Amino acid sequence: MQTLVPEAGRTTEHLETGQAMHALLKELFPLCRSITGEGLRATVGRIAELVPLDITEVPSGTKVFDWTVPDEWAVEEAYIENERGERIVDFKDSNLHVVSYSEPVDAWLQLAELRRHLHSMPDRPDWIPYRTSYYSRSWGFCLSDRALNAIPDGRYHVVIQSSLTEGSLTLAEYRHRGACDDEVLVFAHDCHPSLANDNLSGLVVAAFLAAWLRERPTRFSYRFVFAPATIGSITWLSKNESTLPRVRHGLVLSLLGGSGPFHYKVSRAGNKAIDRTAWHVLRTEFPGSQRLEFLPWGYDERQFCSPGINLPMGRLTRTPNGEFPEYHTSADNPELVSAAELGEAWMACLKIFEALENDNTYVNLAPKGEPQLGRRGLYRSTGGYQDVPERQLALLWLLNQSDGVASLLDIAERSGLTFSALSRAASDLEASGLLARNAQRDRTT
Amino acid sequence: MQTLVPEAGRTTEHLETGQAMHALLKELFPLCRSITGEGLRATVGRIAELVPLDITEVPSGTKVFDWTVPDEWAVEEAYIENERGERIVDFKDSNLHVVSYSEPVDAWLQLAELRRHLHSMPDRPDWIPYRTSYYSRSWGFCLSDRALNAIPDGRYHVVIQSSLTEGSLTLAEYRHRGACDDEVLVFAHDCHPSLANDNLSGLVVAAFLAAWLRERPTRFSYRFVFAPATIGSITWLSKNESTLPRVRHGLVLSLLGGSGPFHYKVSRAGNKAIDRTAWHVLRTEFPGSQRLEFLPWGYDERQFCSPGINLPMGRLTRTPNGEFPEYHTSADNPELVSAAELGEAWMACLKIFEALENDNTYVNLAPKGEPQLGRRGLYRSTGGYQDVPERQLALLWLLNQSDGVASLLDIAERSGLTFSALSRAASDLEASGLLARNAQRDRTT
Amino acid sequence: MQTLVPEAGRTTEHLETGQAMHALLKELFPLCRSITGEGLRATVGRIAELVPLDITEVPSGTKVFDWTVPDEWAVEEAYIENERGERIVDFKDSNLHVVSYSEPVDAWLQLAELRRHLHSMPDRPDWIPYRTSYYSRSWGFCLSDRALNAIPDGRYHVVIQSSLTEGSLTLAEYRHRGACDDEVLVFAHDCHPSLANDNLSGLVVAAFLAAWLRERPTRFSYRFVFAPATIGSITWLSKNESTLPRVRHGLVLSLLGGSGPFHYKVSRAGNKAIDRTAWHVLRTEFPGSQRLEFLPWGYDERQFCSPGINLPMGRLTRTPNGEFPEYHTSADNPELVSAAELGEAWMACLKIFEALENDNTYVNLAPKGEPQLGRRGLYRSTGGYQDVPERQLALLWLLNQSDGVASLLDIAERSGLTFSALSRAASDLEASGLLARNAQRDRTT
């Protein structure tokens, strides 16, 4: 049995990891990330201090499937100034103030005209929205609705000192080598500026999972990819097409903070091993978890699950995108995300990985009637009680279902027991000589 | 894309059609229809003014499967008279007063004896029930329970001047020729006397659908059959057996007035294209619609779905037979049925037909990752919003699922989007060169 | 049509049988049964007065699959005595007082030390629990918690005059020969001492079913097996392995008294004919019945449904083991079980058997449209009514579905009608020449 989850005895491990993750999240929060540029490079540079990353810079103009890698964007300065020279909106205060990929502008405008370039949220008057305009040349500012409404009529000086120049898009990945080449692919997008849950939460959980696995032997190899949303995953896919057949299971990680329960969104096929495993672990060990059907909307599962790629990849979040009010606003800040939530998400991923690693198939070597567990010390000696302990049930389910075809996951799903209880019981029965691995049916060789 | 449904802009079309249908219904209401006879002929004669009908008269005595076409029934006069010569029940007042297919009688009876021939509804004391005795020779009168109880003891003169003579059963049909010989079969029974919802509502909706299609090109051919219930559909089936293999989809129409939601009853197989299409259109566009399992009880779907015929025919009604109190009583009159309800039913049928016509299969020509919809003007240019417009979702679903195997209906069912939204989006993507029809998978050639 | 259920007219049959079963249950209650020994022999001896039983004694030490037949256990006397020579616990008062298979003891102990051998139920202070220690050598007493707490400190004389000596385990069976060798296997465990519902209820129902079938011709053969739980069913299986392929359907009977609804637990496969038949009969004829998924915990279905045996056997109980408070306590006495409940359980089993016997497949000989039932006297002659009688529905369902493939059970499940209504209707249609048996599809030859 492959053990990845910190032992029950050491219950503080995920809390300590949670705190370390939250500290990293706060450190990364101020950087002005976009789908290209220095903020992105600084972010992956910081993660590379945790695990060694392979960095690939893909030049602007490169054709990637139906897309082209865009020019690199940078902002020096950006503000709106009134006639008295007072800056009423300034990029220095929040990097959400500027619409991502705004083109340069330096002009005096009447408020009425300016307003067509201003974005606010009337129903959330104190929050700054997050807006982008990657592929359509324009410029804009985002600000709170309260600030917008406080702007008196008049002329304003609008300045965005931005540049869009040939550069490159930054991809980063860490590969953990396991006993076999079959891979678990983990993806987190890293292009959002000062937003904490979306997706610094996914970024730090992925980084700490990579660091944890690095020190442990595994059956599968694990590939962790950090890239911008959409154009980043498309670029990565186009550069890695030849190795995609190795991907046996995959997870897109995002929105792992916030107080909502876990939401697992299944892959395009909907019934892959990752779908069944992730959902079984979540429903049996994380009460309140929700299972979402596939939908070609959301994060980079849209690319991984496009029909010409079609990887067995699901998506793990807590409350999904668009379903919590702080989504894509300045209220998605480090206080929205707690160390405990990050730690629990990290633990949930490890439990999913552990189940993937241990999904073996066994044969009951004493299949006629139940074997006498009592004389092997696997059964309580006094009979007649009303209840049955979970461990005993796990032994009975394994013996009943282990026909050399049903795997531990099949048995876990049918019994409703946790995968880990069955996995431990399988080890005990194997040690007692009652179960044998059916290596030919193993999900990986 | 085949367009049958009046454009969203012209929203009054179905209301105008509804009014025309209701006017026709009121005109047909007084005729004394039965499974044979002049009332039936007058009814189909009036419909023939809307669309040219092929009329077939099948002689009494003709063997039709396990049945025999019965003699033709006619009533000259029918009444119950008291000793003072006052008519206390008279066929002239309501053609429901006489049990359909009553044999002639002219006799004086004591009330006690007479009562064995009188039908009333004690729980609905003001309504006259509708009763028939097609295949067992007898006679009877139907009257309100209040009227029945007001009859004083005494002797009564009972007169039914009816005749049962060799004649014929009248079948009527309209065939609309489409691009291919594969047919959509629409059936409405036309044998009920002065009952509005059952089935003048089905009759007028079918007639106006025929008239609407007549002026429009279609992929499928459409056959509209008007015939008496049971013996009529059996006779039609026995006369048209050789052409049944052409029937690709079918609908029995009845009870399309009244305030209840639509009820679609699936075919015997339960999962035919008509079942999936009709139910998808109803559940996504007509809130409150109900799906009913197949049951060998109801209307002529009993014959079309008998095991030796087994056509892919469902049934569309609003509240089903036997489930609204006015069913088969004098309270099923033109006021029970509104023009708006008829118009909506007509529109629902057109939407079902339109979906049948457009259920094509496409291949995504840029299947690796999502294609860049923005540069093709198919995507909003500013990103970051919480919601996603339905049209954008339709584009993404089509691209994600169009693998040359899944048809629009498959994608509509999986996505829960309306068929028409997907059909329009497919046209746009085809025009952009992102989707191509997979003609080999088309549901019709 | 094979008739096993007493006719509707003679409704007292199951009540009389219920009273006879309850009388036998009371007679058997005081015997001290265990998995071996004289109490067990006396029990099967009494049943042999109802139906002739084949008795097999399997010697101690015989290897049966992974188990060994244990030594035979007997108790002469057992008590706890205080220093004044007063017996405060005495086996004579209740044979639950001694842990089953207690080894001999004769010692003076301090209360503190004695307590480690005493079992009580603090949450049910007046009840004596039932405990066993078949395979781990020890001794113990069971007593009410109230009695336990009333024992003053001091020294006590503990005496169990028991013996564990070479002997044998007693198996008993009755075989009813039907028209074919295919068998219905009925199993009831008979090893529990003075407990009424568990499992004297199952025992007496099985015995009276055997007696009832004995006088009737059947299609299937029926084998009734009475044996101790676990070791008994394992021993029987190991001795009868060669004849197991004959078992077409099977039921484990237990807990058939008490006021709870029937609970049918499906076989390991979950969709065998016995599962479908038993559940259909229960859900359509015994309101409130519950269907339980398979679980490798419970009674002897654990052995019959082990992977190397895997018989199509379900389990019929009322409220299952461990889910009613009296389970395995002195409160499970004859008053917990009523004659009416036993009678109803006996009737339910007969209805299940009758459905198994009659699950034939028919072909509609007039499959085009509905045949004219009216002229064959199978349809009411006046039409127009709102409702449809169940008998008419049964005729229509049979005609609609009888394609030579769907069996009566298939049609019963699809229609939701009772199996017996369909079975009677099939006889009528066969007599009218409208249906013919498709003997090739018969579930047994």
Side-chain angles (χ1 to χ4, degrees):
Chain A
M1 183 185 164
Q2 213 74 12
T3 309
L4 294 181
V5 180
E7 277 169 52
R10 286 208 57 203
T11 47
T12 56
E13 185 76 51
H14 70 283
L15 295 177
E16 288 156 22
T17 305
Q19 272 149 8
M21 290 189 284
H22 198 261
L24 178 59
L25 179 147
K26 280 202 285 192
E27 193 182 333
L28 295 173
F29 186 73
L31 298 175
C32 181
R33 278 166 294 276
S34 185
I35 54 174
T36 58
E38 289 308 324
L40 187 59
R41 280 185 200 101
T43 300
V44 300
R46 178 63 187 85
I47 290 171
E49 297 172 20
L50 273 172
V51 282
L53 295 183
D54 291 328
I55 309 286
T56 308
E57 294 286 351
V58 183
S60 302
T62 307
K63 286 289 291 173
V64 287
F65 296 149
D66 190 58
W67 302 61
T68 305
V69 174
D71 281 349
E72 199 170 317
W73 181 66
V75 189
E76 188 100 344
E77 199 170 34
Y79 54 85
I80 304 173
E81 204 174 48
N82 63 17
E83 290 184 298
R84 290 192 302 281
E86 295 161 351
R87 296 196 175 181
I88 59 170
V89 178
D90 196 336
F91 178 63
K92 286 197 185 76
D93 300 331
S94 163
N95 54 41
L96 296 187
H97 274 324
V98 176
V99 170
S100 201
Y101 265 69
S102 280
E103 61 189 348
V105 66
D106 185 339
W108 280 88
L109 299 177
Q110 288 294 336
L111 178 58
E113 200 180 347
L114 172 59
R115 266 185 173 261
R116 284 190 284 124
H117 294 271
L118 302 184
H119 303 266
S120 74
M121 302 175 79
D123 54 335
R124 299 286 177 180
D126 292 315
W127 297 354
I128 307 167
Y130 163 55
R131 293 287 176 269
T132 66
S133 185
Y134 300 134
Y135 304 104
S136 154
R137 290 287 56 81
S138 69
W139 61 267
F141 283 88
C142 300
L143 69 170
S144 76
D145 201 57
R146 206 176 297 282
L148 173 61
N149 292 324
I151 304 178
D153 243 349
R155 290 176 70 244
Y156 292 90
H157 188 200
V158 185
V159 175
I160 299 181
Q161 287 184 28
S162 64
S163 62
L164 275 158
T165 51
E166 278 197 18
S168 60
L169 180 149
T170 307
L171 302 173
E173 70 179 75
Y174 168 69
R175 184 151 189 263
H176 168 80
R177 196 170 281 285
C180 74
D181 280 341
D182 288 342
E183 275 179 10
V184 178
L185 177 62
V186 178
F187 182 91
H189 66 272
D190 57 6
C191 56
H192 284 35
S194 298
L195 297 171
N197 198 14
D198 182 10
N199 185 29
L200 289 176
S201 69
L203 217 58
V204 299
V205 169
F208 276 80
L209 286 169
W212 180 264
L213 292 183
R214 196 182 173 199
E215 301 165 22
R216 285 164 178 80
T218 56
R219 173 193 286 190
F220 291 115
S221 294
Y222 287 76
R223 190 144 46 150
F224 291 81
V225 176
F226 304 93
T230 309
I231 185 68
S233 51
I234 286 171
T235 301
W236 185 86
L237 283 167
S238 93
K239 294 290 169 202
N240 290 275
E241 216 179 337
S242 66
T243 66
L244 298 182
R246 284 190 214 148
V247 177
R248 292 281 302 276
H249 316 287
L251 275 181
V252 170
L253 297 183
S254 184
L255 300 175
L256 292 170
S259 56
F262 290 119
H263 284 68
Y264 178 74
K265 176 177 162 179
V266 299
S267 73
R268 183 170 179 265
N271 60 354
K272 296 295 183 186
I274 181 64
D275 299 322
R276 297 173 52 205
T277 305
W279 176 237
H280 186 77
V281 165
L282 292 171
R283 83 176 173 90
T284 57
E285 305 204 45
F286 297 89
S289 292
Q290 303 286 313
R291 182 183 179 277
L292 301 174
E293 289 302 330
F294 179 73
L295 175 77
W297 179 248
Y299 289 111
D300 291 278
E301 67 276 13
R302 291 162 64 172
Q303 313 311 327
F304 294 110
C305 298
S306 58
I309 302 293
N310 207 20
L311 292 180
M313 277 183 89
R315 187 191 76 183
L316 184 67
T317 63
R318 290 179 181 274
T319 307
N321 50 313
E323 296 184 15
F324 58 101
E326 298 87 352
Y327 175 74
H328 278 190
T329 76
S330 56
D332 180 3
N333 60 43
E335 277 156 50
L336 188 69
V337 173
S338 79
E341 290 151 8
L342 295 172
E344 192 191 32
W346 175 81
M347 180 73 107
C349 291
L350 284 183
K351 281 180 180 268
I352 293 168
F353 296 162
E354 193 178 274
L356 291 171
E357 298 262 322
N358 289 300
D359 186 19
N360 300 316
T361 301
Y362 297 87
V363 190
N364 178 346
L365 300 176
K368 294 179 182 179
E370 288 171 7
Q372 197 177 3
L373 296 175
R375 65 174 159 92
R376 295 173 174 94
L378 295 170
Y379 215 74
R380 59 182 166 195
S381 54
T382 310
Y385 292 93
Q386 300 215 352
D387 63 319
V388 52
E390 192 195 43
R391 176 163 177 259
Q392 212 152 294
L393 263 188
L395 296 168
L396 293 174
W397 268 112
L398 281 169
L399 290 166
N400 187 276
Q401 296 290 305
S402 289
D403 53 4
V405 175
S407 77
L408 287 193
L409 178 59
D410 295 328
I411 302 173
E413 288 182 332
R414 182 158 185 190
S415 68
L417 297 172
T418 63
F419 190 94
S420 56
L422 286 166
S423 193
R424 279 192 302 274
S427 290
D428 291 347
L429 288 171
E430 209 179 357
S432 294
L434 287 171
L435 281 193
R437 281 277 286 282
N438 183 3
Q440 284 176 293
R441 302 282 304 191
D442 272 0
R443 297 249 157 124
T444 184
T445 46
Chain B
M1 184 185 163
Q2 213 75 11
T3 311
L4 294 180
V5 180
E7 278 169 51
R10 285 208 56 202
T11 47
T12 56
E13 185 77 52
H14 70 283
L15 294 177
E16 287 157 22
T17 305
Q19 272 149 9
M21 291 190 284
H22 198 261
L24 177 60
L25 180 147
K26 281 203 283 194
E27 194 183 331
L28 295 172
F29 185 74
L31 298 175
C32 180
R33 279 167 293 275
S34 185
I35 54 174
T36 58
E38 289 308 325
L40 187 58
R41 277 183 203 106
T43 301
V44 300
R46 178 63 187 86
I47 291 170
E49 297 172 20
L50 274 172
V51 282
L53 294 182
D54 292 328
I55 309 286
T56 308
E57 295 285 351
V58 182
S60 301
T62 306
K63 285 288 290 174
V64 287
F65 296 148
D66 191 57
W67 302 62
T68 304
V69 173
D71 281 349
E72 199 170 317
W73 182 65
V75 189
E76 187 101 344
E77 200 171 34
Y79 54 85
I80 305 173
E81 205 174 47
N82 63 20
E83 290 184 300
R84 291 192 301 280
E86 294 161 349
R87 296 195 175 181
I88 58 171
V89 178
D90 195 334
F91 178 62
K92 286 196 183 76
D93 301 330
S94 164
N95 54 43
L96 298 186
H97 274 325
V98 176
V99 170
S100 202
Y101 265 70
S102 280
E103 61 188 346
V105 65
D106 184 340
W108 281 90
L109 300 176
Q110 288 293 336
L111 178 59
E113 199 178 350
L114 173 58
R115 268 185 171 261
R116 285 190 283 123
H117 293 270
L118 302 184
H119 303 266
S120 74
M121 302 176 78
D123 54 337
R124 300 284 177 179
D126 292 314
W127 298 353
I128 307 166
Y130 164 54
R131 293 289 177 266
T132 66
S133 187
Y134 301 133
Y135 303 105
S136 155
R137 289 288 56 81
S138 70
W139 61 267
F141 283 86
C142 299
L143 68 171
S144 76
D145 201 57
R146 206 175 298 281
L148 173 61
N149 292 324
I151 304 178
D153 245 349
R155 291 176 69 244
Y156 291 90
H157 187 200
V158 186
V159 174
I160 299 182
Q161 289 182 28
S162 65
S163 62
L164 275 159
T165 51
E166 278 197 19
S168 60
L169 180 149
T170 307
L171 302 174
E173 71 181 75
Y174 167 68
R175 183 149 190 264
H176 168 80
R177 195 170 281 284
C180 73
D181 281 340
D182 288 342
E183 274 179 10
V184 178
L185 177 62
V186 177
F187 182 91
H189 66 270
D190 58 6
C191 56
H192 285 33
S194 298
L195 297 171
N197 198 14
D198 183 9
N199 185 31
L200 288 176
S201 69
L203 216 57
V204 299
V205 170
F208 276 80
L209 286 169
W212 180 264
L213 291 182
R214 196 182 173 199
E215 301 164 24
R216 283 163 177 79
T218 57
R219 174 191 286 190
F220 290 115
S221 295
Y222 286 76
R223 190 144 44 152
F224 291 83
V225 176
F226 304 93
T230 308
I231 184 67
S233 52
I234 286 171
T235 301
W236 185 86
L237 283 166
S238 94
K239 294 291 168 200
N240 289 274
E241 217 179 338
S242 66
T243 67
L244 298 183
R246 284 189 213 148
V247 177
R248 292 280 302 277
H249 315 287
L251 275 181
V252 170
L253 297 184
S254 184
L255 300 175
L256 292 171
S259 56
F262 290 119
H263 284 67
Y264 178 74
K265 175 178 165 180
V266 299
S267 72
R268 183 171 179 265
N271 60 354
K272 295 296 183 185
I274 182 64
D275 299 322
R276 297 172 54 205
T277 305
W279 176 238
H280 186 78
V281 165
L282 293 171
R283 83 176 172 89
T284 58
E285 305 204 45
F286 297 90
S289 292
Q290 303 286 312
R291 182 183 180 277
L292 302 174
E293 290 300 333
F294 179 73
L295 175 77
W297 178 248
Y299 289 111
D300 293 277
E301 66 275 13
R302 291 162 65 172
Q303 313 312 326
F304 294 109
C305 298
S306 59
I309 302 293
N310 206 21
L311 291 181
M313 276 182 92
R315 187 191 77 183
L316 183 67
T317 64
R318 288 180 181 275
T319 306
N321 50 313
E323 296 183 14
F324 58 101
E326 299 88 353
Y327 175 75
H328 279 190
T329 75
S330 55
D332 180 2
N333 61 44
E335 276 157 51
L336 188 70
V337 172
S338 79
E341 291 151 8
L342 295 173
E344 192 192 31
W346 175 82
M347 180 73 107
C349 291
L350 284 184
K351 282 179 180 269
I352 293 168
F353 296 162
E354 193 178 274
L356 291 171
E357 298 262 322
N358 290 300
D359 186 19
N360 300 316
T361 300
Y362 296 88
V363 189
N364 178 346
L365 299 177
K368 295 180 181 178
E370 288 171 6
Q372 197 177 3
L373 296 176
R375 65 173 158 93
R376 295 174 174 95
L378 294 170
Y379 215 73
R380 60 182 165 194
S381 54
T382 309
Y385 292 94
Q386 298 215 352
D387 62 318
V388 53
E390 193 196 43
R391 176 163 178 259
Q392 212 152 292
L393 263 187
L395 296 168
L396 293 174
W397 269 112
L398 281 168
L399 290 166
N400 187 274
Q401 296 291 304
S402 289
D403 53 5
V405 175
S407 78
L408 288 193
L409 179 59
D410 295 328
I411 302 173
E413 288 182 332
R414 182 158 184 191
S415 67
L417 297 172
T418 63
F419 190 94
S420 55
L422 286 165
S423 193
R424 278 192 303 273
S427 290
D428 292 346
L429 288 171
E430 210 178 358
S432 293
L434 288 171
L435 281 193
R437 281 276 288 281
N438 183 1
Q440 285 176 294
R441 300 284 302 194
D442 273 359
R443 296 249 157 124
T444 185
T445 46
Chain C
M1 184 185 164
Q2 213 75 10
T3 310
L4 294 180
V5 181
E7 276 169 54
R10 286 208 56 205
T11 47
T12 56
E13 185 76 51
H14 69 283
L15 294 177
E16 287 158 22
T17 305
Q19 272 150 9
M21 291 190 283
H22 197 260
L24 178 59
L25 180 148
K26 281 202 284 194
E27 193 183 333
L28 295 173
F29 185 74
L31 299 175
C32 181
R33 280 167 292 275
S34 185
I35 54 173
T36 58
E38 288 309 326
L40 187 58
R41 277 183 203 104
T43 300
V44 299
R46 178 62 187 86
I47 290 170
E49 296 173 21
L50 274 172
V51 282
L53 294 183
D54 291 329
I55 309 286
T56 308
E57 295 285 350
V58 182
S60 302
T62 307
K63 285 288 292 172
V64 287
F65 297 147
D66 190 58
W67 302 62
T68 306
V69 174
D71 281 349
E72 199 170 317
W73 181 65
V75 189
E76 188 102 343
E77 199 169 35
Y79 54 85
I80 305 173
E81 205 174 48
N82 63 19
E83 290 184 299
R84 290 192 303 278
E86 294 161 351
R87 296 196 174 180
I88 59 172
V89 178
D90 196 334
F91 177 64
K92 286 198 184 74
D93 301 330
S94 163
N95 53 43
L96 297 187
H97 273 323
V98 176
V99 170
S100 201
Y101 265 68
S102 280
E103 61 189 348
V105 65
D106 185 339
W108 281 89
L109 299 177
Q110 289 293 337
L111 179 58
E113 198 178 351
L114 173 59
R115 266 182 172 263
R116 285 190 285 120
H117 294 269
L118 302 184
H119 303 266
S120 74
M121 303 175 78
D123 54 335
R124 299 285 178 181
D126 293 315
W127 297 355
I128 307 166
Y130 163 55
R131 293 287 177 267
T132 66
S133 187
Y134 300 134
Y135 304 105
S136 155
R137 289 289 54 83
S138 69
W139 62 267
F141 283 87
C142 299
L143 68 171
S144 77
D145 201 58
R146 206 175 298 281
L148 173 60
N149 291 325
I151 304 177
D153 245 348
R155 289 177 70 245
Y156 292 91
H157 187 199
V158 185
V159 175
I160 299 182
Q161 288 183 29
S162 65
S163 61
L164 275 158
T165 51
E166 278 196 21
S168 60
L169 179 148
T170 307
L171 302 174
E173 70 180 76
Y174 168 69
R175 182 148 189 265
H176 168 79
R177 195 171 281 283
C180 72
D181 281 341
D182 288 341
E183 273 180 11
V184 178
L185 177 61
V186 178
F187 182 91
H189 66 270
D190 58 5
C191 56
H192 285 34
S194 297
L195 297 171
N197 198 15
D198 183 9
N199 184 31
L200 288 177
S201 68
L203 217 57
V204 299
V205 170
F208 276 80
L209 286 169
W212 180 262
L213 291 182
R214 196 183 175 198
E215 300 164 24
R216 283 163 179 81
T218 57
R219 173 193 285 191
F220 291 115
S221 294
Y222 286 76
R223 191 144 45 150
F224 292 83
V225 175
F226 304 93
T230 308
I231 185 66
S233 51
I234 286 170
T235 302
W236 185 85
L237 283 166
S238 93
K239 294 290 170 203
N240 289 273
E241 217 179 337
S242 66
T243 67
L244 298 183
R246 281 190 216 149
V247 177
R248 292 280 301 277
H249 316 287
L251 275 180
V252 170
L253 297 184
S254 184
L255 299 176
L256 292 171
S259 56
F262 289 118
H263 284 66
Y264 178 74
K265 175 178 164 180
V266 299
S267 73
R268 184 171 179 265
N271 60 355
K272 294 296 185 187
I274 182 64
D275 299 321
R276 296 173 53 205
T277 305
W279 175 238
H280 186 78
V281 165
L282 293 171
R283 83 176 172 90
T284 58
E285 305 204 45
F286 298 89
S289 292
Q290 303 285 313
R291 182 183 179 276
L292 302 174
E293 290 301 331
F294 179 73
L295 175 77
W297 178 249
Y299 288 111
D300 292 278
E301 67 276 13
R302 291 163 64 172
Q303 313 311 327
F304 294 109
C305 297
S306 59
I309 302 293
N310 206 20
L311 291 180
M313 277 183 89
R315 186 191 77 183
L316 184 65
T317 64
R318 289 181 181 273
T319 307
N321 49 314
E323 296 184 14
F324 59 100
E326 298 88 352
Y327 175 74
H328 278 191
T329 75
S330 56
D332 180 4
N333 61 42
E335 275 157 51
L336 188 70
V337 172
S338 79
E341 290 151 7
L342 295 173
E344 192 192 31
W346 175 82
M347 179 74 106
C349 291
L350 283 183
K351 281 180 181 268
I352 293 167
F353 296 163
E354 192 177 274
L356 291 171
E357 298 261 321
N358 290 299
D359 186 20
N360 300 317
T361 301
Y362 296 88
V363 190
N364 178 345
L365 300 176
K368 295 180 182 179
E370 287 171 6
Q372 196 176 5
L373 296 175
R375 64 175 160 90
R376 294 172 175 94
L378 295 170
Y379 215 73
R380 60 183 164 193
S381 54
T382 309
Y385 292 94
Q386 299 215 352
D387 64 318
V388 52
E390 192 196 43
R391 176 162 177 260
Q392 213 153 293
L393 263 188
L395 296 168
L396 292 173
W397 269 112
L398 281 169
L399 289 166
N400 187 276
Q401 296 290 305
S402 289
D403 53 4
V405 175
S407 78
L408 287 194
L409 178 58
D410 296 327
I411 303 173
E413 287 182 332
R414 182 158 185 190
S415 68
L417 297 172
T418 64
F419 190 94
S420 56
L422 286 165
S423 193
R424 278 193 301 275
S427 291
D428 291 346
L429 288 171
E430 210 179 358
S432 294
L434 287 171
L435 282 192
R437 282 278 285 282
N438 182 1
Q440 284 177 292
R441 303 281 306 191
D442 273 358
R443 296 250 157 121
T444 184
T445 45

